[in-house]
Each structure stands twice: as C-alpha cells, then as structure tokens.
Amino acid sequence: MKVDQGLVELSDQLILGSLPVYTLAMLAFAVELAFRRTAAKAAVPAGAAVSGGAGASEGASAPGGVAVADADPESAAAAPRRAVNWGAFGVAFTVLGWAAHLGSIITRGAAADRWPWGNMYEFVVAICFAAVTAYLAFLVRHPVRHLGVFVMVPTILGLGIALRYLYVQAGPVVPALKSYWIAIHVSAAIIASGMFILAGVIGILQLMRWRYDGRTGAGKPVGFTAITRTLDLDQLERIAHRAIVFAFPIWTFAVIAGALWADRAWGRYWGWDPKETWSFITWIAYAAYLHSRATAGWKGRRSTIIQLVACACLLFNLVGVNVFISGLHSYADL
Amino acid sequence: MITWLRWAWRLLTSMRTALILLFLVALGSVPGSVLPQRGLTPEDVTKFYEENPGLAPWLDRFSMFDVFGAPWFAAIYLLLFVSLAGCVLPRAAQHYRAMRGRPPAAPRNLSRLPHTASVPGGTLALAEAELRRRRFRVNTGDGWVAAEKGYLRETGNLVFHLALLALLFAVGSGALFGYRGNVLVVEGDGFANTVAAYDKFSPGRFVDTESLKPFSFRLGDFTATYSTEPQRRGQPLDFSGKLSVREGGGQKTHDLRVNEPLEAGGAQVYLLGNGYAPTFRVTDGKGQVAFDGAVPFLPAEKGGFTSEGVIKVPDAQPAQLGFVGLFLPTTVTVGDSATSAFPAALNPTVRLFGFKGDLGLRSGAPQSVYQLNSDKMQMIKLPETRLAVGQSLTLPDGLGTVTFTGVKEWISLQITYDPGRFPALVSAALAVLGLVPALTVRRRRIWVRQTADGIDVGGLTRSEGGGGIEEEFESIVSSLRRSGEQESRELVKE
Ligand code: HEM
C-alpha cells in the first residue's frame, strides 16, 4: 500500500496552519478576558470578597441552559466605547483552526488509508482536537466563551509538543494495529480524554479561583490568580462535572473495548499491562470523583482535587507510561 | 459477639469501605505497573535482582514482582467482592420494593421546596392527568397528588454495580478454571494440546491437566511481509501462518494472523512472535549424520532481524559438538563486517563458532536450548566465513562437516483457555449500559396540593447530572396553566 505523499503534505500544512489560527483565537479570548476584568473591577467595589459578585451577572445570562451567546452585560455597561467584540473573534478563529485541525486529521488518515491514530503524534493531535471540539460543543448551550483562552493554551502547547517531539511520517501501521478495534477503542479513548482534559483545565481554574478568593479575603496579593477573578465558581463546577459525567461512560467503554481488542490481539482480555493498569487506575480515580460529589462535605474543593488527581493519572497514562514504562502497546515507541 | 459481627459487617458493606477498597486495588496495582512482573517480563525481574541485590528480596517478600497474584492483592479483591455484594444486594431489594411502592405523600408546605409555583384555577385532576401523560408514577390522596420519575437512575446504578460484581466473579473464575501456555512451532511441525507439548504452561488452580480438550494443528507456510519504503524500511506489515487444524474428527485450515486467533477446543491460539529457524546437517567424524533439522534462533535486533542460536549435537562422534550461530537474513558486507539490512530472508547467511567436548546434557540438569554451556568444551578454530544456504564447513581434526541446508521460520504461540471470558464480556457490557442512565437520569418528585383558588406545585430532585429539572418544572407548570385556562374558558362557555 502506497502512502499518498501529496495528502501527507497537505495534512502537515493544515496542522501547521491551525497553530497560528489557534494562537489568534487565544489572543482574542485573552483580550476579551482582560476587558471583562476591568469591567468587573468597575462593577465590584475594590477589595470586596467577590465570590459571587461577578458570577451573578454571568449566571443571569443562562436561564435554564437556553442557547445564548456569552452576553456580557457588565462590560457593555461599564465600557461604553466597546467597539470590538473580541470574544466573537476568538470563537471565529477557534472554529477556523478547528476546521484546519479536522482537515489535517482526515487527510492524514486518507494518505495512509487507515484510521489516523496509529502513533503518539496522531494520538496527541486527536486528543487536542477532541478537547477543542468539546469546548465548541459546550459553547452551543452554555455561556463558556470567556474560558476559550484556557482551552487554547493547552491545545497550542499539546500541538506544539506533538509537532516538535512526536512527529513521525504518515505511513502504514504495524500488524497489531490492523484491526477495526482501533476505530472503536482508540476513538473512544480520544473522545473521553479530550473531555477529561477540558474538565481538568476547569478544575485548575477553580483552584486558582479559590486561592484568589482566599487571598483577597485575607488582604494578600493575588498575583497570577487574578485572571480568574471574573469566573463563576458554580458554573465552572457545573461544566467540569458535566464533562466528566459525559466522558466517564465513554472511558469505561474505551477500556472495555481495549480489553476486547487485547483478547483478540494478545490472547487475554486483561493482563495488567502498564497501560491497562493505568487506565484502570484512571477509571477508579474518576469513579471516586463521581462518588465524592455524592458524599457530604466533599463537593467543591476536595472533589475538584480528586478530579485533578484523576486527570494526572490520565496524562501519566498517555505520556508517562509510554516514556518510562514499556509495555505491549506498540504505538508507544516514540 | 453477635453485635460485634454485625458492626463489622455493616462497616464492611458501607459504600465508603467499598470505595476505599477500590482505591486500594488501584493503589496496589501501581507497583505492578512500575516494577517488573514475573508473569509479564521475568527477564527484567532477574535484572532487577542483579541491580538491586539489597532491595529485591525485600520487595519479593511482599510479592512486589507478582503483585496481581499476591495474597494481599487477592485479599483486597475478595474483600471488595464481599463488600460490593453486601452493599448492592440489599439495595437492589430495596429498589425493587420502591419500584412497586407509591411515591410518598406531598409535604404540608410546598413553598419550602426548591421549585415552586402556583396555578390559579388549576385542578388536581388536571395535574394528575398531566403528570401521567409525562409518564410520572403518580399517587393521589386527600387534596394532593404526588408524582415521581427517574427510577431508571437507580436501576442503572444497580445494574452497573451488579455487573461489576459479576465481572469480578467472571475474572476470578476464569483464573481458577482456565489455563495458559506458550509454545514455539517451526514450519512443518505440529502441536497437540497436551500439557507435555507446551514449553510453558500455567494452569489455574482447578484445572484438570490430564484432560485438556484435544485438538492439534500443523504449521504449513509462515509469511512475514515488511515495508520496503525508504522511511520505514523493515517495518513489519503483515504476518500470516497457515495452520491445518484437527479437532473432534474434523479438519480445517486457518490463516493465523495477529488479530485473528484460532479458536479450537474452547481455547484461543494467538500469534505472539516469529523468528528464523535455520536448518543444518552435521555429519560427524565417523561419517554419520548426527544432526539434521531446524534450530530456532532468537532475534537479537529488530531492524535487520539478526538472530542468534545454538546447535547441540550430542550424538556426534568422536566428540560432542556444539555451535553458536549468528544468522543474518539479508546479509550486506561492508569492509570486514557483515550486517543484516532487512528483516526478510533475502540473502541469508550464518556464521558459526564451534565447540567440542561435553555439552553437559547428561547431568540431567535442565538446560536452555538457546544457550550453550561451554564449561567443559573447547573452542574449535573455524574459518571466518559466512555460510550461504547449501554451503558446508569442514571441521578441523576430522570432527566432521556442517552444512547450512536452508531457512525455516518459527512462530511463538500463546494458547489460552478462559471460561470466564464470555461472562466477563457480558458483565462489562451491562456495566456500561447501566452507567449511562445512572449518570444522566435524574430522580425527581413533583407534588401538587389543592389551594383555595387553584393548586400549588412543588418540585424536588435529589440527584445531580443530566439537565436541571428547572426546564421540566417550568414546562409542567405552563402546561398546567394552559389547561387550567382552557378548562375555565370551557366552563364559562357552558
Ligand atoms: C487508558 C486508556 C487507554 C488508552 C488511552 C489507550 C490507547 C491506545 C492507543 C492509542 C492504542 C494504539 C492505537 C494507536 O496506536 O493508534 C491502543 C492500542 C491497544 N490497546 Fe489501548 N489504551 C488504553 C487502555 C487499554 C486497555 C485497558 C486495554 C486492554 C485491556 C487496551 C488494549 C489495547 C490493545 C489490545 C491495543 C492494540 C494493540 C497494540 O497497540 O499493539 N488498551 N490503545
């Protein structure tokens, strides 16, 4: 089977093209966030503990989850000369970058005539894609536009690392990966990972926000955590929870599909291969998060920390296991 | 004593204990993924022992090189099993009763509920009809209607946890009643399913090793194809072994590939690895053929599949002979040194190093077929030539000749029999099916009370996930308003 060199180049150019577009999106989102910040400053008396302050207006924009754009009443009121809708630019660039990203994945698969997740490079590119897709999907129904910058930063980092350190030529896969299970198992793992990572990013924002609140309350300098001052904690918590609730069954399915594949490929459905072990650990950690929210006194900060531990397990499985531990998962050769 | 037992049982079957045990399973499996494990990579365990002579025995004392077979791991597993059973089974019974029971009566004061509304002109009968239309389970009483929906959440939850229980059970029984073995087969050779035929055999505790289900097969041609594209030269593309299988009087052929195992005798036969088995004929000093056959060589390097192996000729006269061979599938010579440039056997040659003396086989101590014990042997001086297929080497001192007669390939197979496999699959599928409603459906209650000028409606949800119930509550209230208005209009008309 020949690899179509033209398509390979197209795929590479599309992914290289998506990077600057995502960067523009990130900048636009950042400007939007900065405006919100000054707006919020005007709205909230200086020095007040703002745990609910800026959030209240945010919550008002989403009665019952009706599809609304991220209306920003306070900045409209406080910044009369608001000429540029930076957030809308951010979304537009994100969609554009997303389309190029998608095109790159499709052309790479078409070039080698196989599912385009046959090695670490392709896997990381696909997970970044899943995370951006998850963000865009949330955008349709939830007022999360201003979180764009926090999605773009890890996406750009992920793509950059993939291109710089993981890149391999498109080509055929080793025989172990020639199976329709790759479509099922790996796709599910990618979708779930994208959602989990999105939830992880939000979890970090929550922690920063709590710290910010704590510091303003104690009159200490807030430093970097100030970027979260206009975020709504309840909303963050809700989105993170929803992303995890969505991803968890998919992850469960991915692990089971992996077991089915392992049964076909390696002669046992479960063998505590490091990758299997860590996906199991990740699964348990997310299960613990879901349980912790049902346990009195754990909702909020503690459950967020569990969520982040789970996300760390997930990332360790994606990266650490490939780098530090060798197992049967053949795509792990960097 | 009884109270103590009851206390222990309650402690064991609480959700928190189950969670802690689940956490312990996760925590316990970490060393299993970080340290080398005997079951997966025994060579690495040996290496670890050599590198950490002080630490290794201590780790071994805690079964750290066999975590998933360790007594403490089994203990966590069993406790988890009991805890889960003790937690879930009563809950299932309770849920069954709840499903058959009726929603509880409306509280006296609906305005304390998180969702409330008044519908002037509304009636209880209309509310009941509306809630029934929305497939709530409805209970009525004096001046009130109570409705509940979302039982699927608890049902899904129970299915999920029961499925986990079944999964633990299936995995455990598979380990007790199943077996696994490895065998290496050279092209043209066969295998019959008896314990003696395996190179390595690990049965579960309750396996009757005398009566494995009989089947046998012979390996015909094995083909490996490799990429010839410049960037990925030598990357394997496909493996395929032609098996002719005999089972229960029938005969069939099977094309064994990486993702296509053979199913025979209730067991699965998987292709794990492959390699070269060069064939040699050794004629000894007395002119007799002392050896004629294939010798499996182990790959020493991936890119060019350079392989190493050992030929032992215990029947050679006047002295026993042994050879260490270096096999190059595609030989390329650059200056003095030869390497293999490609994994396929395009230009196979072998270089031999000879020994004579005592192979040490008579002592009875087991010996690896891949290693030559040269303690009691003497090196024979051989010319530094590489033999191509068909070429021979005459040994000095009238010890005989060696001929490189050809190249065969071998495959290594894993054969597993796991009776828990199918039940495990079914339980895993049920677990996912149960998980979705358990996470996305909300259990919610709606109460309606008659008031002086109409009805009050109140709503409550205790579970989270899925959409909020605000939307649904709003929609119920607005349709009640609408039907209330309609009703009053009709009344007016009459
Ligand atoms: C943590 C979750 C997991 C992730 C993210 C993951 C990811 C992957 C990826 C990316 C591949 C390779 C396909 C490719 O290169 O594109 C793969 C292959 C495979 N996975 Fe997983 N996997 C996970 C868990 C599991 C589990 C739990 C099992 C089995 C019990 C499993 C069994 C397999 C098998 C059999 C293959 C194909 C064979 C091979 O790579 O040589 N995986 N997995």
Side-chain angles (χ1 to χ4, degrees), chain A residues 117-119 123 176-177 182 185-186 189 251 255 258-259 261-262 265-266 269-270 275-276 278-279 317-318 328-331:
Chain A
W117 21 90
N119 49 55
F123 194 56
L177 298 182
I182 195 169
H185 163 66
V186 186
W251 183 256
V255 173
W261 189 4
W266 302 328
Y269 55 86
W270 197 268
K275 202 107 199 164
E276 294 170 354
W278 277 95
S279 55
N317 199 14
L318 293 180
L328 291 166
H329 274 69
S330 52
Y331 77 102

Side-chain angles (χ1 to χ4, degrees), chain A residues 39-50 53-54 229:
Chain A
K41 235 181 225 157
V44 181
V50 283
R229 68 170 293 168

Side-chain angles (χ1 to χ4, degrees), chain B residues 153-338:
Chain B
R153 181 191 186 90
E154 180 71 1
T155 309
N157 198 330
L158 287 170
V159 167
F160 172 72
H161 285 93
L162 287 172
L164 276 195
L165 205 59
L167 186 63
L168 287 178
F169 192 74
V171 171
S173 63
L176 290 177
F177 294 96
Y179 60 81
R180 171 179 310 169
N182 294 80
V183 62
L184 183 146
V185 183
V186 178
E187 279 174 315
D189 287 353
F191 168 84
N193 193 27
T194 55
V195 173
Y198 284 96
D199 298 334
K200 190 178 141 204
F201 185 75
S202 20
R205 189 150 305 185
F206 299 137
V207 172
D208 178 6
T209 49
E210 297 300 306
S211 59
L212 306 185
K213 279 223 185 103
F215 67 89
S216 66
F217 56 79
R218 216 181 66 83
L219 173 64
D221 201 23
F222 175 79
T223 344
T225 29
Y226 302 94
S227 173
T228 51
E229 273 182 60
Q231 296 108 356
R232 47 190 77 243
R233 182 188 299 284
Q235 176 184 318
L237 292 180
D238 202 14
F239 302 116
S240 152
K242 300 274 181 283
L243 299 182
S244 36
V245 187
R246 257 172 212 285
E247 183 194 358
Q251 186 151 16
K252 63 175 180 183
T253 57
H254 181 84
D255 184 10
L256 188 69
R257 288 164 182 272
V258 172
N259 278 304
E260 281 159 47
L262 162 73
E263 312 222 346
Q268 273 78 26
V269 180
Y270 300 88
L271 179 60
L272 278 193
N274 64 305
Y276 288 103
T279 58
F280 298 95
R281 187 167 55 241
V282 180
T283 313
D284 69 9
K286 302 209 163 154
Q288 269 156 5
V289 175
F291 181 89
D292 191 5
V295 185
F297 275 34
L298 295 182
E301 158 265 341
K302 272 227 165 103
F305 230 96
T306 305
S307 308
E308 293 168 352
V310 166
I311 313 159
K312 296 182 187 179
V313 195
D315 299 335
Q317 302 275 351
Q320 291 190 333
L321 296 173
F323 301 90
V324 173
L326 194 66
F327 174 80
L328 304 181
T330 300
T331 315
V332 200
T333 322
V334 183
D336 290 346
S337 67

Side-chain angles (χ1 to χ4, degrees), chain A residues 64 169-170 172-173 175-176 178-179 242 252 256 260-261 263-269 272 277-278 284 293 325, chain B residues 19 22 25 29-30 33 40 68 171 180 232 235-237 259 270 414 416 418 421 425 428 432 435 464 466 471:
Chain A
Q169 283 278 330
V173 288
K178 278 196 191 147
S179 163
R242 214 164 266 192
T252 312
I256 292 170
L260 280 161
W261 189 4
D263 184 59
R264 288 241 99 190
W266 302 328
R268 81 289 182 294
Y269 55 86
W272 299 107
T277 308
W278 277 95
I284 286 185
R293 288 185 44 102
I325 310 174
Chain B
L19 261 186
L22 204 58
V25 175
S29 45
V30 173
S33 80
L40 296 172
F68 303 107
V171 171
R180 171 179 310 169
R232 47 190 77 243
Q235 176 184 318
L237 292 180
N259 278 304
Y270 300 88
Q414 173 168 292
T416 33
D418 182 348
R421 195 168 158 262
L425 172 61
V432 177
L435 196 53
E464 55 182 339
E471 261 174 277

